[in-house]
Amino acid sequence: MPNKPPIVEIKNLYKSYRRGNQTIPVLQDINLDIAEGEFLALMGPSGSGKSTLLNLIAGIDKADSGMIKVVDVDINSLSETDLARWRSGNVGFVFQFYNLIPVLTAFENVELPLLLTGLSRKEKREHVETALKIVNLSDRMEHYPGQLSGGQQQRVAIARAIVTDPTIIVADEPTGDLDRVSAEDILELMERLVHELCKTIIMVTHDPRAAKKAHIIKQLDKGVLNANPQTYI
Amino acid sequence: MQILKLIFRNAFRHKLRTFLTVAGISIAILSFGLLRTVISAWYVGVEASAANRLVTRNSISIIFPLPLSYKDKVRQIDGVKTVSYGNWFGGIYIDEKNFFANFAVEPESYLELYPEYVLQPDQKAAFLRDRKAFFAGRKLAERYNWKLGDTVILKGTIFPGDWDFVLRAIYKGRDKNIDETQFIFHWDYLNESLKKTVPRRADQVGFYMIGVKNPVHAAEVSAAIDRTFKNSLAETLTETEKAFQLGFISMSEAIVIAIQMVSFVVIIIIMAVAANTMAMTARERFGEYAVLKTLGFGGPYIIGLIFGESLFITSIGCILGIVLTFPAAHAFGSAMSQFFPVFNVSVKTIYLEIGSSVIVGITAAIIPSYRAVTLRIADGLRRIG
Ligand SMILES: Nc1ncnc2c1ncn2[C@@H]1O[C@H](COP(=O)(O)OP(=O)(O)OP(=O)(O)O)[C@@H](O)[C@H]1O
Ligand SMILES: [Mg+2]
């Protein structure tokens, strides 16, 4: 493992859901450090809490107790508004179903996160064009999501995730809805983001082939993180 | 700018749904506008009444006459400027279907008292000169294609017999809300015939129309008139022209209230339709709202999207509805011109149409906005797929 300070620091994290008057524990005593430039895969059976953990790291859900620090910010103690602002500057999101806005073109979808920044029109355009170039879709800028294949849509989503140059990129089963070839494409792209652009990626996946691309694989089982992580390089 | 683009494109995502909603809103606004216009047409006599005019009638009922001799006594009362008088004639033109108001009045004082009936000077002179003359409103003359010099025969109901009149003048209303369907002739013509045929009905007037010097003193003058004839054979009841007109309408008040209620029910129904559309729309987009929130867009942005779309759709419906109100009111007014001599879409009606559309647009957006804003991101994302 590279000798850098952790970019994500998780300590004694607990999360449960209430269903009626029942409390269902989902995550129990999670401890995890993620270093900058790491490509981490989270695996585990369905319902083991992978998405829940990813959402907590990304600041779109709140833990019951414990601490999550991302670049020294304890995100579990931020207010909703501060958390929203923090997300827009620090996290890039990639979802299983791409989640692009269907009435916006590829360009406009990628531009979306930049609307919350103070960038000039010209700067925004440059950022969007760069991001689309990285995902190799410069020639599809004016296409609507409906006019793109699943793999292409996911690449637009990745461009949207990297356009703000976030601290971490979280991806929840980014290849879950794609055929093998497209999935391979997306994984290569993610590898490139890590190797060439030094991004930190946390990816939930069911697919062992996808996990193989990661540096580290963490196993979640019934809300408990595997004590002996398997490490690949 | 970006949000407007998104609102605009969202509004046209389901073209059929948007089209149907817009059509529903415009029809509702149109119906609302027509119903409101019917109500204002009902009150047109009240609206057109002047503050400086009083009407004196028999205190028992309008159907009992007053002696002509009251004329001079009224004239002497302090604050009275003009005294005119008349009878409701109630004549029928060819067939009962052809209804219009026809009165016998003392012509000179009447025209002085009612400057809103605008007659050309030469026509006015011709009318005053000829005892058998009548003047008619522009719309009435158009309806029956009467030309100056034409003889028109009315069949008397209250005053039996066939009565022939000659059209000497056609008046125009000074304002849009002036009834242009009246038929006015010389009271003397009626009275002289009665003297010959039924002398006991002669020298009796249906009502006095009184112009006061200063509208501020209208109440005192009314009281003074009624005091003058207290304990006489025919006691009087004097009220402002407005109160007099309202008295007529109060007989049909229940209908007006019913129309008023229906007009609001129409708005409530369309509110439910628009709210349903917006709820459906928002429910489909919860995933997208979750994505926007994930990216850091706050509640105000999402509320803006939903309210913007709702108001955009209702505005289109509203504009269409208002535009359609005019031809529809024109057609309706022409068809019903015997019942509604004045049928104009008022500025107030348009404001009410706009106001109701805004209320519809806002109401429809409230619940979806609340749901979208309180939606937990994780739940919103889960809905996809
Ligand atoms: N909003 C919620 N309310 C109640 N229970 C929830 C909620 N969200 C998740 N859960 C429960 O928490 C547990 C973990 O869910 P999570 O989505 O994190 O699993 P996962 O590992 O991502 O599964 P999958 O591989 O199927 O996506 C599940 O048992 C799920 O039913
Ligand atoms: Mg999951």
Side-chain angles (χ1 to χ4, degrees), chain A residues 50-51 172-173 204:
Chain A
K50 305 183 293 295
S51 296
D172 198 344
E173 303 191 36
V204 167

Side-chain angles (χ1 to χ4, degrees), chain A residues 3-132:
Chain A
N3 199 8
K4 286 181 195 162
I7 200 164
V8 179
E9 235 185 306
I10 300 174
K11 289 229 154 57
N12 310 109
L13 196 69
Y14 285 83
K15 172 74 182 174
S16 56
Y17 284 111
R18 297 191 65 83
R19 203 169 290 158
N21 47 14
Q22 237 180 323
T23 309
I24 302 153
V26 178
L27 295 176
Q28 294 176 58
D29 198 17
I30 305 285
N31 291 282
L32 176 67
D33 285 354
I34 303 167
E36 192 176 358
E38 208 160 75
F39 188 178
L40 181 139
L42 252 173
M43 295 189 77
S46 185
S48 57
K50 305 183 293 295
S51 296
T52 305
L53 178 57
L54 196 71
N55 289 347
L56 292 176
I57 296 171
I60 57 179
D61 208 349
K62 285 265 184 136
D64 299 344
S65 65
M67 182 204 75
I68 306 180
K69 266 191 179 171
V70 181
V71 207
D72 283 333
V73 177
D74 182 359
I75 61 170
N76 210 32
S77 65
L78 293 180
S79 71
E80 283 288 335
T81 324
D82 290 340
L83 200 55
R85 193 174 311 126
W86 175 81
R87 277 198 306 273
S88 69
N90 291 281
V91 191
F93 295 86
V94 182
F95 308 97
Q96 180 176 357
F97 301 104
Y98 334 129
N99 288 12
L100 301 173
I101 308 292
V103 291
L104 298 181
T105 62
F107 183 94
E108 290 163 343
N109 265 291
V110 176
E111 192 189 22
L112 212 46
L114 296 180
L115 299 184
L116 296 168
T117 65
L119 293 181
S120 74
R121 212 196 182 107
K122 187 163 160 275
E123 288 168 320
K124 278 188 229 159
R125 172 155 277 275
E126 284 167 5
H127 279 66
V128 174
E129 280 170 357
T130 310
L132 280 167

Side-chain angles (χ1 to χ4, degrees), chain B residues 127-153:
Chain B
F127 164 72
L128 290 174
R129 224 180 294 129
D130 180 355
R131 206 174 48 92
K132 289 176 90 169
F134 77 101
F135 70 82
R138 187 181 55 86
K139 283 191 191 158
L140 187 66
E142 267 169 27
R143 192 194 298 164
Y144 299 115
N145 201 19
W146 294 335
K147 300 277 174 289
L148 291 177
D150 283 2
T151 296
V152 173
I153 296 171

Side-chain angles (χ1 to χ4, degrees), chain A residues 161-174:
Chain A
I162 60 175
V163 75
T164 53
D165 192 21
T167 318
I168 53 173
I169 294 170
V170 297
D172 198 344
E173 303 191 36

